[in-house]
Amino acid sequence: QIVSGIRKALRYIADPAFVLAEQPLRTMTMQELLRAMDEQIRSGVDGLIIRAENTPEVRAAIEQAVQQGVTVITYDADVPHSGRLCHAGQDLVRAGAIAAGVMARLIRPPEHVLIVTGNLRMEAHKGRVDGFCSHLCELGFPSDAYHIIETNEMHSLTEELVARAISEDRQIRAVYMSTQPVSGCIAGLRRAGVGSGVHVVCNDLTPAAKRYLKEGTVDFVIGQSFWQESFRAVIAMYQLLARNITPKETAYYTDLTLVCKEML
C-alpha cells in the first residue's frame, strides 16, 4: 500500500523534474535509518520522506538535515519537535481510543486487558497505546486493569510474551494488538491454552488479520489507509520543493475504519 501511494502521487504530479528515489530498509533499525539518511544527504537530495523511531539520535539527525537545507517529512511514525516539515499518518490517539471503546463492550471490570506493542519509542506505537489506556480508564476500568508488553514486532517474541502474560494473569480476557504481528499473538494465546476464550482487537487490516477475522479468532480490526500516508507525504514534498507551497497542516491524518467479520 505504501508503494501504491507513491505510484499514485507520481502519476498525479506528472512532473519529470521531480525525481523520487526509494530506499527500502532491511532491518528497520535506527542505525540503518541514520546511515541511509546520511548517504542520501551526501548524494545531494533536496528532501527526505522517512519512517523513524522518535529517539534523540533520530531527532538530532533530522535537525541537522534541516539545518543543511534538506526538507524532511515523516510518515506512519512521527518525530515531533525535530524540525520536520509535516507528518502523514494515522491519528494514533484516536485509533487507540476506538480500540478501547470496542474493548469495553467485550469485557467488564475486574477483567484485564493485555496490550501488545512493538516499541514505545515509535510514535506510531506509543500514540495508540496512550489513546487506548486513557480512554479505557475513562470508561471505568482501573489503571491496573491493563498490562503492556513490547515485542519489537517479532513473531517469536510476541508468541512467547503473550503466552507468558496469559499464564501469569488468568484475569486477562482480552488482548489489544496495537502493532504487528497478530499471528504471533494468536500463537501465544494457543500456546497458553486459552484459544478463543480471549477477545482480540488489533490494528491494520493485513492478510493475517483478515484470516483471523473470518475464522472468529480476532473480533475487530482498526484499519487505516496506508497508501494515503505515502501519497500525502510525496504530494507535500513536491508542492514545497517544486512550487514553494508550504503545507497548511503539520499533520495529515489517514482514514480510520472499524472492521468486523461480516464486513469482509
Side-chain angles (χ1 to χ4, degrees):
Q1 288 192 44
I2 294 295
V3 173
S4 173
I6 293 172
R7 300 291 179 265
K8 289 179 182 179
L10 293 177
R11 287 196 298 270
Y12 179 81
I13 292 167
D15 185 346
F18 181 76
V19 179
L20 187 145
E22 300 168 32
Q23 184 168 346
L25 302 184
R26 293 183 302 103
T27 63
M28 294 302 295
T29 60
M30 177 186 67
Q31 292 76 12
E32 186 184 16
L33 171 70
L34 294 177
R35 284 195 299 271
M37 289 177 63
D38 183 62
E39 290 173 5
Q40 293 298 328
I41 292 171
R42 289 176 182 273
S43 72
V45 296
D46 299 296
L48 289 170
I49 299 174
I50 63 172
R51 177 185 186 270
E53 294 181 14
N54 183 15
T55 65
E57 294 84 355
V58 172
R59 197 157 49 248
I62 294 175
E63 291 172 350
Q64 183 177 1
V66 172
Q67 290 171 3
Q68 294 177 247
V70 177
T71 300
V72 178
I73 292 176
T74 60
Y75 76 94
D76 189 39
D78 195 14
V79 187
H81 313 299
S82 61
R84 56 96 170 123
L85 178 69
C86 64
H87 171 69
Q90 188 182 67
D91 186 335
L92 304 167
V93 173
R94 185 164 176 248
I98 291 172
V102 171
M103 196 69 80
R105 290 165 172 79
L106 299 175
I107 65 172
R108 292 288 184 273
E111 295 174 323
H112 294 172
V113 179
L114 176 65
I115 303 171
V116 184
T117 189
N119 184 338
L120 288 176
R121 293 183 302 179
M122 293 283 291
E123 286 295 315
H125 300 180
K126 184 178 183 300
R128 289 172 179 169
V129 172
D130 288 348
F132 182 91
C133 296
S134 176
H135 194 48
L136 195 68
C137 290
E138 290 174 356
L139 294 172
F141 285 79
S143 57
D144 61 356
Y146 58 83
H147 176 58
I148 304 170
I149 58 175
E150 296 177 75
T151 68
N152 292 319
E153 296 190 287
M154 298 171 59
H155 179 99
S156 58
L157 186 59
T158 301
E159 177 182 348
E160 178 185 345
L161 295 185
V162 167
R164 183 188 304 171
I166 296 294
S167 300
E168 293 176 350
D169 183 2
R170 288 297 177 178
Q171 282 294 93
I172 294 176
R173 294 292 183 270
V175 177
Y176 171 44
M177 281 294 301
S178 70
T179 56
Q180 298 305 314
V182 66
S183 58
C185 170
I186 302 304
L189 293 176
R190 290 170 176 168
R191 181 171 161 182
V194 293
S196 60
V198 174
H199 295 288
V200 178
V201 175
C202 68
N203 275 89
D204 306 331
L205 194 60
T206 63
K210 287 183 179 180
R211 184 172 70 253
Y212 292 127
L213 263 180
K214 288 179 179 179
E215 69 180 37
T217 311
V218 167
D219 295 87
F220 293 94
V221 176
I222 313 299
Q224 64 171 314
S225 299
F226 285 107
W227 72 267
Q228 291 181 356
E229 298 179 356
S230 52
F231 179 87
R232 293 181 179 181
V234 172
I235 294 297
M237 184 68 77
Y238 173 74
Q239 289 180 329
L240 180 75
L241 296 182
R243 299 186 177 182
N244 199 31
I245 300 175
T246 303
K248 295 180 180 180
E249 307 290 341
T250 58
Y252 291 95
Y253 294 130
T254 58
D255 297 333
L256 286 170
T257 56
L258 179 62
V259 186
C260 62
K261 177 181 180 179
E262 289 74 17
M263 296 172 67
L264 298 178

